[in-house]
Coordinates of all heavy atoms in Angstrom, one line a residue:
F10 N 0.9 -1.2 0.0 CA 0.0 0.0 0.0 C 0.9 1.2 0.0 O 1.6 1.5 1.0 CB -0.9 -0.1 1.3 CG -1.9 1.1 1.4 CD1 -3.2 0.8 1.4 CD2 -1.5 2.4 1.7 CE1 -4.2 1.8 1.6 CE2 -2.4 3.4 1.9 CZ -3.7 3.1 1.8
Q11 N 0.9 2.0 -1.1 CA 1.8 3.1 -1.3 C 1.2 4.2 -2.0 O 0.4 4.0 -3.0 CB 3.1 2.7 -2.0 CG 3.8 1.5 -1.5 CD 4.5 1.8 -0.1 OE1 5.0 2.9 0.1 NE2 4.6 0.8 0.7
G12 N 1.4 5.5 -1.6 CA 1.1 6.6 -2.4 C -0.4 6.8 -2.7 O -1.3 6.3 -2.0
R13 N -0.7 7.3 -3.9 CA -2.0 7.6 -4.3 C -2.7 6.3 -4.9 O -2.0 5.6 -5.6 CB -2.1 8.7 -5.3 CG -1.6 10.1 -4.8 CD -1.8 11.2 -5.8 NE -3.2 11.5 -6.1 CZ -3.6 12.4 -7.0 NH1 -2.8 13.0 -7.7 NH2 -4.9 12.6 -7.1
M14 N -3.9 6.1 -4.6 CA -4.7 5.0 -5.1 C -4.9 5.1 -6.6 O -5.1 6.2 -7.1 CB -6.0 4.9 -4.4 CG -6.9 3.7 -4.7 SD -8.4 3.7 -3.7 CE -9.2 5.2 -4.4
E15 N -4.9 3.9 -7.2 CA -5.2 3.8 -8.7 C -6.6 4.2 -9.0 O -7.5 4.0 -8.2 CB -4.9 2.4 -9.2 CG -3.5 1.9 -9.0 CD -3.3 1.2 -7.7 OE1 -4.1 1.4 -6.7 OE2 -2.3 0.4 -7.6
F16 N -6.8 4.8 -10.2 CA -8.1 5.0 -10.8 C -8.4 3.9 -11.8 O -7.6 3.8 -12.8 CB -8.2 6.4 -11.4 CG -9.6 6.7 -12.0 CD1 -10.7 6.6 -11.2 CD2 -9.7 7.2 -13.3 CE1 -12.0 6.9 -11.7 CE2 -11.0 7.5 -13.8 CZ -12.1 7.3 -13.0
G17 N -9.4 3.2 -11.7 CA -9.7 2.1 -12.6 C -9.7 0.8 -11.8 O -9.4 0.7 -10.6
P18 N -10.2 -0.3 -12.4 CA -10.4 -1.6 -11.7 C -9.1 -2.4 -11.5 O -9.2 -3.4 -10.8 CB -11.3 -2.3 -12.7 CG -11.0 -1.8 -14.0 CD -10.6 -0.4 -13.8
R19 N -8.0 -2.0 -12.0 CA -6.7 -2.8 -11.9 C -5.9 -2.2 -10.8 O -5.7 -0.9 -10.7 CB -5.9 -2.8 -13.2 CG -6.7 -3.1 -14.4 CD -7.1 -4.5 -14.6 NE -7.4 -4.9 -15.9 CZ -8.5 -5.6 -16.3 NH1 -9.3 -6.1 -15.3 NH2 -8.8 -5.9 -17.5
A20 N -5.3 -3.0 -9.9 CA -4.3 -2.6 -9.0 C -3.0 -2.6 -9.7 O -2.5 -3.6 -10.3 CB -4.2 -3.6 -7.8
L21 N -2.3 -1.4 -9.7 CA -1.1 -1.2 -10.5 C 0.1 -0.9 -9.7 O 1.0 -0.2 -10.1 CB -1.4 -0.1 -11.6 CG -2.5 -0.4 -12.6 CD1 -2.8 0.8 -13.5 CD2 -2.2 -1.7 -13.4
G22 N 0.1 -1.5 -8.5 CA 1.3 -1.3 -7.6 C 1.2 -0.4 -6.5 O 2.2 -0.3 -5.7
N23 N 0.1 0.2 -6.2 CA -0.1 1.1 -5.1 C -1.1 0.5 -4.1 O -1.2 0.9 -2.9 CB -0.5 2.5 -5.5 CG 0.7 3.3 -5.9 OD1 1.8 2.7 -6.1 ND2 0.5 4.6 -6.1
R24 N -2.0 -0.4 -4.5 CA -3.0 -1.1 -3.7 C -3.0 -2.5 -4.1 O -4.0 -3.0 -4.6 CB -4.4 -0.5 -3.8 CG -4.5 1.0 -3.4 CD -4.3 1.2 -1.9 NE -4.6 2.6 -1.5 CZ -3.7 3.6 -1.6 NH1 -2.5 3.4 -2.1 NH2 -4.1 4.9 -1.2
S25 N -1.9 -3.2 -3.9 CA -1.7 -4.5 -4.5 C -1.3 -5.6 -3.5 O -0.8 -5.3 -2.4 CB -0.5 -4.5 -5.5 OG -0.8 -3.8 -6.7
L26 N -1.7 -6.9 -3.8 CA -1.2 -8.0 -3.1 C -0.2 -8.7 -4.0 O -0.4 -8.9 -5.2 CB -2.4 -9.0 -2.9 CG -3.5 -8.6 -1.9 CD1 -4.6 -9.7 -1.8 CD2 -2.9 -8.3 -0.5
L27 N 1.0 -9.0 -3.5 CA 2.1 -9.5 -4.3 C 2.6 -10.8 -3.8 O 2.5 -11.1 -2.6 CB 3.3 -8.5 -4.2 CG 2.9 -7.0 -4.5 CD1 4.1 -6.1 -4.3 CD2 2.4 -6.9 -5.9
A28 N 3.0 -11.7 -4.7 CA 3.5 -13.0 -4.4 C 4.5 -13.4 -5.4 O 4.7 -12.8 -6.4 CB 2.3 -14.0 -4.3
D29 N 5.1 -14.6 -5.1 CA 6.2 -15.1 -5.9 C 5.6 -15.8 -7.2 O 4.9 -16.8 -7.0 CB 7.0 -16.1 -5.1 CG 8.3 -16.5 -5.8 OD1 8.4 -16.4 -7.0 OD2 9.2 -17.0 -5.1
P30 N 5.9 -15.3 -8.4 CA 5.4 -16.0 -9.6 C 6.0 -17.3 -9.9 O 5.4 -18.1 -10.7 CB 5.8 -15.0 -10.7 CG 7.0 -14.3 -10.2 CD 6.8 -14.2 -8.7
R31 N 7.0 -17.7 -9.2 CA 7.7 -19.0 -9.4 C 6.9 -20.1 -8.7 O 7.1 -21.3 -9.0 CB 9.1 -19.0 -8.9 CG 10.0 -17.9 -9.5 CD 11.3 -17.8 -8.8 NE 11.2 -17.5 -7.4 CZ 12.1 -17.6 -6.5 NH1 13.3 -18.1 -6.8 NH2 11.9 -17.3 -5.2
N32 N 6.1 -19.7 -7.7 CA 5.4 -20.7 -6.8 C 4.1 -21.0 -7.4 O 3.1 -20.2 -7.3 CB 5.3 -20.1 -5.4 CG 4.7 -21.0 -4.4 OD1 4.3 -22.2 -4.8 ND2 4.5 -20.5 -3.2
A33 N 3.9 -22.2 -8.0 CA 2.6 -22.6 -8.6 C 1.5 -22.6 -7.6 O 0.3 -22.4 -7.9 CB 2.8 -24.0 -9.2
S34 N 1.8 -22.9 -6.3 CA 0.7 -23.0 -5.3 C 0.2 -21.6 -4.9 O -0.8 -21.5 -4.2 CB 1.2 -23.8 -4.1 OG 2.3 -23.1 -3.5
A35 N 1.0 -20.6 -5.2 CA 0.5 -19.2 -4.8 C -0.8 -18.9 -5.4 O -1.6 -18.2 -4.7 CB 1.6 -18.2 -5.3
R36 N -1.1 -19.4 -6.6 CA -2.4 -19.1 -7.2 C -3.6 -19.6 -6.4 O -4.5 -18.9 -6.1 CB -2.4 -19.6 -8.6 CG -3.7 -19.4 -9.4 CD -3.5 -19.8 -10.8 NE -4.7 -20.0 -11.5 CZ -4.8 -20.1 -12.8 NH1 -3.7 -20.0 -13.6 NH2 -6.0 -20.3 -13.4
E37 N -3.5 -20.9 -6.0 CA -4.5 -21.5 -5.2 C -4.6 -20.8 -3.8 O -5.7 -20.5 -3.3 CB -4.3 -23.0 -5.0 CG -5.3 -23.7 -4.1 CD -5.0 -25.1 -3.9 OE1 -4.0 -25.6 -4.4 OE2 -5.8 -25.8 -3.2
L38 N -3.5 -20.5 -3.2 CA -3.5 -19.8 -1.9 C -4.2 -18.5 -2.0 O -5.1 -18.2 -1.1 CB -2.1 -19.6 -1.4 CG -1.9 -18.7 -0.2 CD1 -2.5 -19.4 1.0 CD2 -0.4 -18.4 0.1
L39 N -3.9 -17.7 -3.0 CA -4.5 -16.4 -3.1 C -6.0 -16.5 -3.4 O -6.8 -15.8 -2.9 CB -3.8 -15.6 -4.2 CG -2.5 -14.9 -3.8 CD1 -1.7 -14.5 -5.0 CD2 -2.8 -13.7 -2.9
N40 N -6.4 -17.4 -4.3 CA -7.8 -17.5 -4.7 C -8.6 -18.0 -3.6 O -9.7 -17.5 -3.4 CB -7.9 -18.4 -5.9 CG -7.8 -17.7 -7.3 OD1 -8.2 -16.5 -7.4 ND2 -7.3 -18.4 -8.3
V41 N -8.1 -19.0 -2.9 CA -9.0 -19.7 -1.9 C -8.9 -19.1 -0.5 O -9.9 -18.8 0.1 CB -8.6 -21.2 -1.8 CG1 -9.4 -21.9 -0.7 CG2 -8.8 -21.9 -3.2
K42 N -7.7 -18.8 0.0 CA -7.5 -18.3 1.3 C -7.4 -16.8 1.5 O -7.6 -16.3 2.7 CB -6.3 -19.0 1.9 CG -6.4 -20.5 2.0 CD -5.2 -21.1 2.7 CE -5.3 -22.6 2.8 NZ -4.2 -23.2 3.5
V43 N -7.2 -16.1 0.5 CA -7.1 -14.6 0.6 C -8.3 -14.0 -0.1 O -9.0 -13.2 0.6 CB -5.8 -14.1 0.0 CG1 -5.7 -12.6 0.1 CG2 -4.6 -14.7 0.8
K44 N -8.5 -14.2 -1.3 CA -9.5 -13.5 -2.1 C -10.9 -14.3 -2.1 O -11.9 -13.7 -2.5 CB -9.1 -13.3 -3.5 CG -7.7 -12.6 -3.5 CD -7.4 -11.7 -4.7 CE -8.4 -10.8 -5.1 NZ -7.8 -9.4 -5.4
H45 N -10.9 -15.5 -1.6 CA -12.1 -16.3 -1.5 C -12.9 -16.2 -2.8 O -14.1 -15.8 -2.8 CB -13.0 -15.8 -0.3 CG -12.2 -15.8 1.0 ND1 -11.7 -14.7 1.6 CD2 -11.8 -16.8 1.8 CE1 -11.0 -15.0 2.7 NE2 -11.1 -16.3 2.8
R46 N -12.3 -16.7 -3.9 CA -13.0 -16.7 -5.2 C -12.6 -18.0 -5.9 O -11.9 -18.9 -5.4 CB -12.5 -15.5 -6.0 CG -11.1 -15.5 -6.3 CD -10.7 -14.2 -7.0 NE -9.4 -14.4 -7.8 CZ -8.8 -13.4 -8.5 NH1 -9.3 -12.2 -8.5 NH2 -7.7 -13.6 -9.1
E47 N -13.1 -18.1 -7.1 CA -13.0 -19.4 -7.9 C -11.5 -19.7 -8.2 O -10.7 -18.8 -8.5 CB -13.8 -19.2 -9.2 CG -15.3 -19.1 -9.0 CD -15.7 -17.6 -8.8 OE1 -14.8 -16.7 -8.8 OE2 -16.8 -17.4 -8.6

């Protein structure tokens, strides 16, 4: 969470959740345990 918030539906680095792209399990973790979505 940094600086001014983005305008528009995409988080572009100021209101973002970040994870390691090398970790295949990060996708399931974020979808299921953080964002609670499909």
Side-chain angles (χ1 to χ4, degrees):
F10 181 115
Q11 304 291 327
R13 297 184 69 181
M14 183 177 65
E15 299 91 337
F16 181 55
R19 313 285 197 224
L21 300 173
N23 280 11
R24 301 290 188 276
S25 290
L26 295 177
L27 308 175
D29 189 341
R31 303 171 300 165
N32 181 4
S34 64
R36 178 167 162 171
E37 180 182 359
L38 170 66
L39 281 163
N40 272 329
V41 177
K42 295 185 178 180
V43 176
K44 308 209 45 135
H45 303 105
R46 66 185 198 180
E47 298 83 2

